Every structure is written in C-alpha cells, then in structure tokens.
Amino acid sequence: MKDIFDALEIGHNKFLDALSDATAWSPSERLTALEAQATEISNVTGTLGLELTSHFMKAVDGHRDRLQKNLSELGDALTGVAKAQGAGTLPQALESYWKDAGQRMILTLDTLRQRGDNFLEHEDAGCPPVLVYDYEKVMDGADLPKPCNYVLLKIIPPKDSKFREPKSFKRPYIIIDPRAGHGAGIGGFKPDSQVGVALRDGHPVYFVAFRRMPEKGQTLADITSAEAAFVRKVMDLHPDAPKPVVTGNCQGGWATLLLAASNPDLTGPVILNGAPVATWSGLIGENPMRYNAGLLGGTWNAMYYSDLGHGIFDGADIVQNFELLNPGRNYFGKYYDLYAKADTEPQRFLDFERWWGGYFLLNEAEMKWIVEQLFVGNKLCKNEAQLEPGRNVDIKKVQAPIIVFASWGDNITPPPQALDWIVDNYTDEREIAIWGQRIIYMVHDQVGHLGIFVSSKIAKKEHTEVTSTLKTIEALAPGLYEMTIDDYEGDLMERSFTVSFHERKMDDLRKINDGREDEVPFAAVARASEHQAEFYDVCVRPFVQAGVTEQSAEFRRKTHPLRVQHTALSSMNPFLNWLPGWAEKVKETREPVEEDNPFLALQKANAALFEQSMDFFRDMRDAAYENMFFSIWGTPYMRWFGRTHQPGRTLKRKEELRSLPPVQGALMHVDKGGFCEAIVRMLILLAESRGNVRRDRLERSSRLLNQQEPFKSLTQDERSFILQEQTLIVEFAPKKAVTTLPELLKTKAERELASKVVRYIPGAISEMDPHTLEMLQKFHQVLGLDPNFGDVTEDPLASGYSAALSAVGKENAAVTTAPAVKQGPAETEEKTQQAVSAASRTPRRTTAKPTARKSAAGQKSARKPAARNKPRNTTKKSEEPAE
C-alpha cells in the first residue's frame, strides 16, 4: 500500500522535513498518496456500511416474522383468557395452572439441586470423561518422557446385538475431544454419537481424554507428542489393521491437524469436526466471536488471567465467553425448557450439564500458544505456527486424507473458519494433488456447533456416512472434493446413504466466504497484541505475580460465577434441605395442567417474547461490537500498521507448479511401470472426463485397488505412491499419459484384461458420459484393441490376476481361429460415433454438474519400486475387508 504512512519508513526527522518542504514530493506523488488514502477510507466505509446493513437486515428478517408470530400467540392466549372468563371457568383454570406451575417450580429447583450435587461429585472425582460407554485406560501421558495430563482410553462396546464384536484387523478410530474449558466425552456423550457409529460397525474405538489439572510445565508440543505416542500404541495393538482414523472435534480439530502435520506418516484419514483453523475468517454481520482479541486485548489477556491463577488459566472463563454468545438460550431458554417440561426434561438437562459444567484448567504456556498462534496470530494458515522453536507446522505435509465437516448453523466455528485454511495454503486445487493430498469437505445447512458431534440426527446421518465411506475414500485421486449425501433408504438405525464426490476448485471454496477484505484489520490486531504482551510481560506482570498466591488463585477459581451457580443450588446449601422431600411429594401427587389451559398458553407466549427480547439485545450488541472493531482496526493507519502481519502465506504461481520436484520425478517415469500403473492411470483419465464420482463406482474402484490382485499385494504406501505419481502424469502430460500406455501393457492379454477392468469400474455403457466413452475409445485405439466393446458387469479380477490373464489369452486364441471380419476406418469411426451419441441421449443420474478436473497428485522425493505384474506372496488374512 502506497500512501503517506510509507513516509514513516524513511525516519522521523526526514518525515518532518518532507512535511515542511513543498518540493519534497512532486504533485503526482502527493496525488497518488491522496488517492491511496481515499481508497483506504472508502474500503473502511464500505465495510462499515456492509456490516450495518447486514445487521439491520438480519434484525428485520430474523425478528419481524418471529415477533408477529409471538404477538399472535399472545393475542390468542389473551382471547382464551377472555373466553374462559365469559364461560365462567377462569377461576378453575387459574387454580389448575397455579398448582401445576408450583409443582413444576419445585421439580425445576430440585433438578438444579441435583445439578449442583453432580457438579460437586464430578469435581471430587477429578472430572472424569462423561462417556456413556465403559472404558479402560490404555496409556497415560503422565508416564511419557515429556509428561502431560492426556490419557488414551479404549471404549468397551456394550453387550448389545446392535454392536458388532470389534475386529483386530478393522481400522481403529481415535477421537480427540476439545479442551476449551470443558472436559472430554462429548464425542461419546450419546449412544448415537461418533463412538456409537464406529462401534456398531465393529471398529475398535479409542478416546483421547484429559485430566482436570495439567502437568506442571506441559506445553502444546508435549500434548502433540503424547497424541503421537497414543497413535503408535494403537497401531501396535492392531498390527493387521490400516492406519487409524483420527477424529478431532472443535478445538480437538486443529490439535488433530497439528498431530498429522507433525507426524505425516502416522495417521490414517483425519476428520475435522467444526475445527477453527482459519480463525480470522467469517462473515460480516454473522460471527462476532472472532473480534474478541481486537476488543479485549489479545495475548496479554490470557497472560493476565493465568497470572491471577498462579500460572493456571481457568477454563471457566472460556465457557463464560461461549455462554455470552447466546445469552437468551444460555441464561433463559434452557432453564425455561426445563421448567416447561419438568416431567420429561430433567435427565437430558442433567446429562448435558455434567459435561457443560465441568471446568478444566490449562497452563499459561498452553493458553498463550493457543491465543498467540491461532486466534490472534492465525499462524497455522500462514505456515508460521511453531510447536517448538525452529519447527514450523506445515499443513502441506499431511499425507492422509483430510475430511472437514462444517455447518452454517455453527456460530463458534462457521464454515469459512473451517475451510479457508485450504485457500490460504495452496495455490490452487492442482497443488493439493501435487502434494498427494485428498481434502474432502461437507457443509451442513443448519446444525449448531455442539450438534456437529452431539446431535443424534447428525450422528445417524453425516457421521455414519463418513464412517462407511472411509472404506472407499482413499481410492480417490488426490485433489479437492465436496462430499454430498444425495439419498438414503432404510429405517433410522439401519439407514444407508447414497453419496457422491464432486471435484471442486478453489473458487468454489472462496464462494463460501463473503470476501477476505474484512480480514485485513486482524493483522493490525496481531501486531498490537505482540506489543501489548511485551509491555505486560516487562512492566506489569512482576507486580501482578507478586500479589498472587496459590491460595488466592484457588479462591478465585472457587468463587467464579459459573461454579457458584452450581454450588449455591446444591445440597451444601442448608436452606435447600426441604427441597428433596417436597420434590418426592410433588412427584407422587403430580397433576399436570391441561394443554388447552389459557394461562399455560399465556406463559408460553410471554416466555417466547422475553427470549426474543434477549436475542434482539444480543444482535444489537453484536452489531455495536463489530462496528467498534472495524472503526478502530479498519482505519487506514491501522491497515498500514498491520502490513507486516497480513493474512496468507507466499504461494507458488501456477506456472511454477510444474517445476516442483514431485512433478518432475513423475514425468521422468511416464513410460515406466506395469499393469498396476496402467490401470490406475486409465482410471484417473476416466475420472478426468467425469468430474464427479458416484458412490457405486468408487466402491468398485476401492474394491479393485484394495482387495484384488495384483493390487492386494501392494502396501498402502506403495498403492498411494502409484496413485499420486499417475495423477501427476495425467495432469501435466495428458497426451503422453495415453500414448505411452502400450509401454506399460506389453502383451495382448494384458491389454485386453486392462480394458475389461477399466470398463467394469464405470458400469453400464448406458450410464457413461460421452467423454467417458470417447476416452475408452482412445484406450482401445492406442492399445490396438477392437473399438467395439460391450458392458462388463462382473469383476474381471475376481478369480485372480493370473487366472484372469489366462482366460483372456484363451479368448484371444479362440478369436484368432475364427474368421475375421475386416472393417474399414470409416466403419469403425461410424460405430464409435453411434456409441457416443447413444450415450449422450441416454438419461443418466447425476447429482451435480461435473466440473473440469484440474488436480494432480504428488509423490515422495524418492521413487519406490514399481508394482510387478506378478502378484506377491503374502500371508493369508481374513477375507473381510480391513476397513
């Protein structure tokens, strides 16, 4: 940015001289500076205008219809009161309502008392995980060379016919829950949770939990090291299984990404559920939480509160911030629901509050790293985050597939925060493929943040589908994909889903956000936060620490408002000794009011209006919050001030991608390989012509590449290497990829068998795209095969590679002895065109408009031996798929 503030770079004295010297700048330079400043001011004005308009429209659209509905219900309730008065039944209705209301109040207070007792019991027990499943401890992070408070638990499946017996050769699942003020267990909080979904399919499930108090001196690097040790332990326990799936929820999501990037050869597929990775991203008028650092002080805040805790940060402070995001729900709505449904709601309320009311602690070093590196600095997206000095965490090093689940109903981690890190790290979708990565994302329409990994509906739908689709997802060529759930069938508990994968471009991800211009002010916040933290550390911290003792820190924690609300309404309060007895009497004599009671309708209408008033206050507060942020940090001076911390990392230009070593290494082997390389290359070329992959085709491809020889004898690393190398060849040398196929398939029998295999994967000719048919015709032409071909409905490799090759050889011999019918070039071309035309006229079921594929797969720096045509001798294993 060129404006007057650039003059500060030449020194203070020269700047003053320039201001007093009319000849210092030429008129054109002054005009350029003024134009630049006008542009900056215009950008700030535009952002503020967009922000105010967004909040205004949100208030109008969100509250107008809701207010009309609530007022209508209030009017109906008053009309009901008037009718009851006219009919002479008003006294009886009032008496019945007050009796019911009093009983519900007693039950509600007793439930709150039970919540307080549960809180104290949970605290005394050390706040164990709130899992609904039994578990056993496998490994304790406190016993590692760098101790931490994390533990690895093995989930014991219930003795229920719905749960299959875990198989040692099935891929294990490791679930990492968030440590953001609360305890562990939300991923297994309900039977139909992530844990339950995996257990039902017979997968061994492990859970990464943590104790309430951190080990002395533990850091995020120690935790990541412990999680890596946990993964190695699981791999040792299941040597016959593929690498484990690691699922990270919310804050556990970026922790999982740190684990996978620091140990790229360790994990299987990585699933990120509502994980805030690109913390500066969000929608104007929608996501106020991201402005906290700019308005509350940034890193020094975490340092100050840690000092008040004698080096320990209280997670209750984080939970309080979460609650303030939606005060109408957290301070009124959930309690009114408990009161209104006092007969049915208590158990659900108590189960959730056991987790929500468990407050965990973090070391100052942990909290400072999280705030400084992620939420203020956004350094993970810029390749600047360091778990240890001199070791940058590079997301590009993750080798396993990454599956990202986000939701528009998530007000803590909106989709831009969950997905924009992809745009920030890669030049385009081709670079994702060059590095050999598969990034698949899903975006839900409305589920909230906790619903992503708590809601039973989501567990029975999205998580079920992700779990089953992991069996085939590794058969995808490297690149960027969106996964969509198109259809389902069957009962809820046994429901199966139809999914498809659609290749996406970076522009598709950019459309999820409303632009990145609003992220520029966060750079100034990051720089100011560094200065504030330094000032606090040198000038203020010594005095704060001198006034804090371990006793005063513990007193502050015990008197935190969130803890007091539990202990004050517990059995420790002597004024509540009467409550349990009264509650039992109420349950024995309970007389619920009739549903048509006019006072009950009046209660519901008033509660709805009161909650809406709190929501309206929240929306106005958020508008003022956002307006204040951009007014302070969005000015031209602040944009200049933050220029050294601008978002993003240096990305390679598109023309530079071809020069990357993985690409050059792959192109050197365009004519090297055998049957395996040829099949993979042809399948990638076919996928290139489609742009999306249906589930049935993906399953056939996965079964071929994982369960049939000669692919079955390959290790997972060899299989991935071939897939990445051939994708690079197809991307950067598409013509040579086709013309060199005869170099890979030497014999007539191999070529015939390869043709059958690649025709089996797409399915019936009537369902093929015209482009797919054209590509198959090219294969036959370059391999010297008959251009007239039909459907292949059975797996050609089902009987084994050698047997299939022998069978093809016999067919060729039989054809050779039969009289040949010669066809001229014109006749062959005519039949080809007829086949293509027929395919284009045949209706074909699709789920999204195919897009032109522009991805490529990466490879390792050292080339591994190519797969041989002859299957290798391997130890016989179970016939059940390892997935």
Side-chain angles (χ1 to χ4, degrees), residues 276-349:
V277 180
T279 53
W280 289 357
S281 297
L283 302 179
I284 292 180
E286 293 289 340
N287 310 123
M289 190 176 180
R290 58 180 178 148
Y291 306 122
N292 278 349
L295 297 177
L296 299 181
T299 307
W300 81 268
N301 231 320
M303 298 165 64
Y304 172 67
Y305 281 102
S306 297
D307 288 340
L308 292 181
H310 206 254
I312 299 295
F313 188 93
D314 190 357
D317 292 324
I318 305 176
V319 178
Q320 193 169 44
N321 280 338
F322 288 150
E323 290 191 345
L324 288 172
L325 283 175
N326 193 356
R329 181 63 195 167
N330 291 309
Y331 298 140
F332 176 76
K334 69 177 182 181
Y335 296 109
Y336 173 75
D337 287 346
L338 175 63
Y339 170 71
K341 305 172 185 176
D343 298 308
T344 58
E345 185 72 6
Q347 191 57 49
R348 190 208 65 79
F349 177 85

Side-chain angles (χ1 to χ4, degrees), residues 629-702:
F629 176 86
F630 285 111
S631 297
I632 296 173
W633 300 102
T635 60
Y637 174 76
M638 285 301 177
R639 293 164 72 90
W640 170 84
F641 178 74
R643 71 196 185 284
T644 58
H645 291 60
Q646 287 299 316
R649 61 188 287 182
T650 302
L651 303 177
K652 289 185 176 293
R653 297 189 299 272
K654 292 183 179 181
E655 55 271 18
E656 293 178 326
L657 296 179
R658 188 181 182 91
S659 64
L660 290 175
V663 179
Q664 294 299 312
L667 295 180
M668 291 175 62
H669 298 93
V670 66
D671 57 349
K672 304 295 191 300
F675 185 82
C676 291
E677 284 83 359
I679 292 296
V680 171
R681 184 184 301 182
M682 295 164 78
L683 290 178
I684 293 172
L685 286 164
L686 288 180
E688 178 94 5
S689 65
R690 289 196 301 270
N692 62 61
V693 187
R694 275 205 338 244
R695 171 68 180 271
D696 56 344
R697 294 174 176 175
L698 185 58
E699 285 181 341
R700 288 195 291 269
S701 177
S702 175

